[in-house]
Structure formats: structure tokens, C-alpha cells
Amino acid sequence: MLQSCSSTKNATTGINGGRGTITGTWVLNNIALEGLPDQAVQGLFGEKSYKCFEGSTWKLTNSGNGSYTLPTSSECGSVMQTIFWSATPAEETFQFKKIYEGDKAKNVTEGYRLVLTQLSKGSMVMKSPIEFGGKTANIVLTFSPAAN
């Protein structure tokens, strides 16, 4: 009897790669709202506005440590946030929690879980589902690898 491990390619969901594909530096190029009017979204990940994240840089190391840096603007200010992340592409999940000075990741119990809908070396798309008007709507985040 032969057994094999499952592939990291999932043609039905657009996931082409494992956790290692996520590791690296990504730029959040576009944020789209599915089923949501603009005024319904006050903030994102505890920041002032979801628009503050456009152009942000996400550094995700293999150890799970990471950070995101929001571009400086008059509305958003300058933000660099340390995070601890994990991902299970086979289950279409990406999650992270904010880590502040003096925190240990294992002691932080609150965070954010996103649905990983597309992953390749050239693109990563995640959705943040939220309830709106009795239906599930999404904030869609589209990333591309940062130029080195």
C-alpha cells in the first residue's frame, strides 16, 4: 500500500504554495470592499481607517515574527506594528496578533483571522469577513511581493 502527502497546490481556491510562500516582504497594493459601502468600514486591525493600509509593507519571517508599516500620511500618521503570525494555506487561514513592547506572543490572546483566497510567489489575496446587513461581506486585501 502506498501513501503520499497532499500537494500544496489547490486548484479550486488559487492556493499555490505553503507557509514558506507567505514568508517574505509584501506590499498591500489594494483594498476592496465586497458587499460593504465605504462608510460602513470605520477602521481595520485597530487602526484609524482601512485606507491607511494601502501601500503598507508587511514583513513576515519564517519564525512567525513580523511587522507591518503603514505609509506616513496626515490622516494615519506613521505606524510600525510588530506582529506574530501563522498561516495554514491548506485550510485557507492567515492569522496574526499585535505584539507590543514587553508582550510575549504566547500571552496575547486576541488577534485577527483572515481567509487566504489566493497565494503564489507573485500574489497573495486575503479576505476579512464581517457581518453587514445580515450577510457576510468582505474587506479584500491584495498583496504583491516587495521589490528588493
Side-chain angles (χ1 to χ4, degrees):
M1 186 157 120
L2 296 173
Q3 287 186 325
S4 66
C5 295
S6 66
S7 166
T8 57
K9 183 171 183 171
N10 186 333
T12 59
T13 62
I15 305 294
N16 187 3
R19 187 179 188 283
T21 306
I22 298 171
T23 300
T25 303
W26 295 87
V27 175
L28 179 48
N29 297 314
N30 186 49
I31 301 174
L33 305 178
E34 287 181 347
L36 288 166
D38 185 61
Q39 65 273 17
V41 182
Q42 297 299 312
L44 183 64
F45 309 136
E47 302 295 342
K48 295 176 192 171
S49 168
Y50 74 90
K51 293 176 182 175
C52 294
F53 281 89
E54 289 186 342
S56 62
T57 302
W58 293 63
K59 294 181 181 180
L60 306 171
T61 68
N62 195 40
S63 67
N65 294 309
S67 66
Y68 63 76
T69 304
L70 305 183
T72 303
S73 73
S74 58
E75 180 185 341
C76 306
S78 178
V79 174
M80 195 288 287
Q81 177 64 57
T82 302
I83 63 172
F84 189 81
W85 70 279
S86 65
T88 310
E91 295 176 10
E92 302 175 10
T93 60
F94 177 91
Q95 51 198 13
F96 73 93
K97 47 191 172 182
K98 293 181 175 185
I99 307 297
Y100 296 98
E101 191 172 334
D103 284 345
K104 290 187 178 185
K106 67 179 183 177
N107 297 333
V108 177
T109 58
E110 292 184 10
Y112 304 92
R113 179 172 292 194
L114 302 161
V115 179
L116 187 60
T117 60
Q118 183 180 339
L119 177 64
S120 68
K121 290 184 185 205
S123 177
M124 180 167 60
V125 178
M126 297 183 212
K127 292 184 178 184
S128 178
I130 56 175
E131 289 297 315
F132 181 76
K135 297 184 208 170
T136 300
N138 291 291
I139 301 172
V140 183
L141 312 171
T142 303
F143 296 82
S144 65
N148 291 331

